[in-house]
Amino acid sequence: MNPPASPPAPAPKPRPPAPAFPLPQSRHAARLPAGLAPEDWQRLRQAAHALPQVLTPDDLEDGSDEQLDRLGAIQIAKAAAGGRPSRWILPQHIAVALAQLQATPMANDLRPRLQARLQQLESLGLRREGLLFTRLCQQALTLAIDAWRIELAHRVPVDEAPVWAFLRDGDLAALRQQLGPMPPYSHGAELTLHLNHLVARSEALVGNSGKDSQLAALLVRLQAECSVAMPFAELKAALTRAQDRWEQAVGEQDRLASLGRELAFRGYPDSFEAARQLGRRVTLYLGPPNSGKTYAAFERLAQAVSAPGRSQADTAPSVGSRDPGSQRGGTACGAYLAPLRLLALEGRDRLVGRGVPCSLLTGEESVPADNARVISSTIEMADTREAVDVAVIDEAQMLFDSSRGWAWTQAICGVPARELIIIASAYAAPAIERLLALCGERPERRVFERKQQVQLMSAPVPMAHLQAGDAVVAFSRRDVLMLRDQIAGTGGSGGHRVSVIYGALPPEVRRREAERFAVGASDVLVATDAIGMGLNLPIRRVLFSTLEKFDGVGDRTLNVSEVHQIAGRAGRYGLHDEGFVSVLKESEASAFKSLRELLPKEPRAPRDFKAPVAPNWTHVRVIAERMGVQQLHQVLGIFMQQLKLDDVHFAVAELEQMLGLAEMLDRRAAGLTLQQRFRYAQAPVDTRLPQLLEHYEAWAAAHALSGQAGAPHFLDEVDEHARLDRMEQALRQCTLWLWLDLRFPGCYGHVEAVLDLRSRLNDGIERQLKGKRPLWQRRGR
């Protein structure tokens, strides 16, 4: 008997056909315009990263996919790891985008070409704001008093059709013709009436005494407000506030009249009474790296002479707005404010080398000099109380730095110098001038040209073809040490003699490594972007090992300003006739192309920039008194969230680390006074290092409990023969201990032992860097 036959296998289910229009959200298919061909949609998807018609969440106010969805946009691609945003397009712009592709087909030069056209739009005052294009227009308003002229900036919506046409054909003349003349301001008559009213009120206040100079300062303030395009109601309010601030400066120079004005940023410049009373003469020294602007500033500073009748006690330097809580003696009639401790050291040595006695003041040390005429300090230590004859603020484009820019805002507004010199890259000048205008000051410009230009090389440079005088740039400690090992041929094979510079190195070691390269004791310098900050070195070629940088959040491509600042170190005048820049051949495949695109572009200030401001002790004290709170974390929260700030010109600086430390101090060191906790919260603690943070907490808690921080146990935990990474961590502990000792005299102590360990660790680190042993495997980024 045969077994029963098996039932036939079921036929495989047919696969559903692939959608003709692949979409991240299938429901968006209903939004596609009728008649759109699948192949056209595919072309649009492939070119989405370059098309100006494509939107990302950052283009809208709330920066969310949901808002784009509500507006009826079609999602082209989802957000991807590594920071790439989602991409969207409005249905009515699909035909425009396809026409764009027809006119400018996908090619290697498409994105640079479109970027160039977008920059041309920006130069015409055109920019996209959400779903609209607007045009920045200028109009002169003539006031009743002495035919004063106010240049008013305002934005008007424009038809998008001629803008899209220009992006397709690049016909700038046709675009200008389509735009036509700038339209008049729709509220011109009403605004002129308001301005005349404010000026008339001011004339009545000052009478005839000092009328011209006082009203001229008012004009500068009114012009500063009108130079920022804003809605009419906001502009009227801003002008009224500017007149109020001016009026208060005329009538009340001793103190601000109310709590709101005492705390709010819109009165921030007037809170620096010493600077406002001086009538400062301000000069901007503008130019690229290696243009001689810093040399010229030091020449002027070296000429500063002591003002008669000033005693040593009268000129004790202090930290000003950041109040260190201690007094330091030393007569000063000049000041140099540096962005880094290394440059403060270098500035002190420059002046001493010219026969000018100079004291040093940084976050962790005060080194007075006999008969000092000048003080060289880090920017955070700027004195905003005692007047000097000449002050120099260096690297003022750091005003744009998200974490430290507050220190430049404070110095530019608050340093009481009869003559103030501000050194900066040219692209920072408008932001600095606007900040000075809020102080009622109009600076002069002195422009410096680079002695020789930096040339882009024709191709990447293989590591095997490095030459003496080359500087190789990386962006992490790990990569610097890895390149150092490869270039030096550690482990027995031959190679170049190498100097290294990176952020974790102490300034003394960085300076020694720079000197080794400068005198020819090493052939090649491997460094992070620290070399872009004022270090003058005999570099002939700057070679990027990568154009990608980790910025604390993720990897990103360098911006134009960073490329210029670093590349500008190539070709030192008097040592090399010309400078060159390129990338290592071993870098990522796109590096040379990125460099070639970035180098010709001019650095630009951030759009809609607002000067960052950090709280000072006055803010903290007044909030605590008025609001009846003693928790530092709560006080800082009120400062950030509830103050009525002038959000046209100023913004709260990044305070996340300070808030975190404040919360810990309120919990672990509640016995300290509010002012003591505020000082602790400003300490240079790298919160990414658990051991350092643990020691900091223990010292603060012991201080609160007994008035003494205890012994620095790290003195016995490491010496100059330890691993490189352990010595670097111990040096951070030395720095933190010395910083705290300077602000809490009698609580920390052991200074000689800490300085001795710091010196021995510096020697140990330098010995390892000069040695032949491989170093980079020891620790990651």
Side-chain angles (χ1 to χ4, degrees), residues 430-498:
I432 297 170
E433 287 171 335
R434 190 162 71 241
L435 193 54
L436 289 166
L438 295 170
C439 302
E441 298 168 337
R442 193 192 304 272
E444 296 179 6
R445 286 191 180 196
R446 184 175 172 188
V447 179
F448 294 77
E449 299 295 335
R450 186 180 169 90
K451 302 298 189 295
Q452 64 275 96
Q453 297 304 310
V454 176
Q455 300 180 40
L456 177 66
M457 299 177 68
S458 60
V461 176
M463 199 179 298
H465 292 176
L466 291 174
Q467 303 170 0
D470 286 347
V472 178
V473 181
F475 297 97
S476 72
R477 173 191 184 275
R478 175 188 179 278
D479 288 347
V480 166
L481 294 179
M482 178 178 66
L483 286 163
R484 172 255 185 200
D485 293 350
Q486 293 171 340
I487 295 168
T490 56
S493 59
H496 290 281
R497 297 169 300 171
V498 180

Side-chain angles (χ1 to χ4, degrees), residues 684-708:
V685 187
D686 190 337
T687 54
R688 297 169 300 177
L689 300 176
Q691 186 180 32
L692 183 66
L693 188 59
E694 181 182 331
H695 285 173
Y696 165 82
E697 291 184 15
W699 299 339
H703 182 185
L705 187 64
S706 66
Q708 298 291 317

Side-chain angles (χ1 to χ4, degrees), residues 386-442:
E386 298 296 336
V388 295
D389 295 324
V390 180
V392 174
I393 299 173
D394 205 353
E395 301 288 356
Q397 69 276 359
M398 288 286 288
L399 179 71
F400 302 131
D401 186 85
S402 58
S403 59
R404 296 182 62 212
W406 66 264
W408 277 266
T409 303
Q410 172 183 275
I412 290 169
C413 291
V415 168
R418 295 169 183 85
E419 179 181 352
L420 179 62
I421 297 171
I422 302 174
I423 304 171
S425 298
Y427 74 93
I432 297 170
E433 287 171 335
R434 190 162 71 241
L435 193 54
L436 289 166
L438 295 170
C439 302
E441 298 168 337
R442 193 192 304 272

Side-chain angles (χ1 to χ4, degrees), residues 273 351 399 503 530:
E273 300 174 16
L351 291 163
L399 179 71

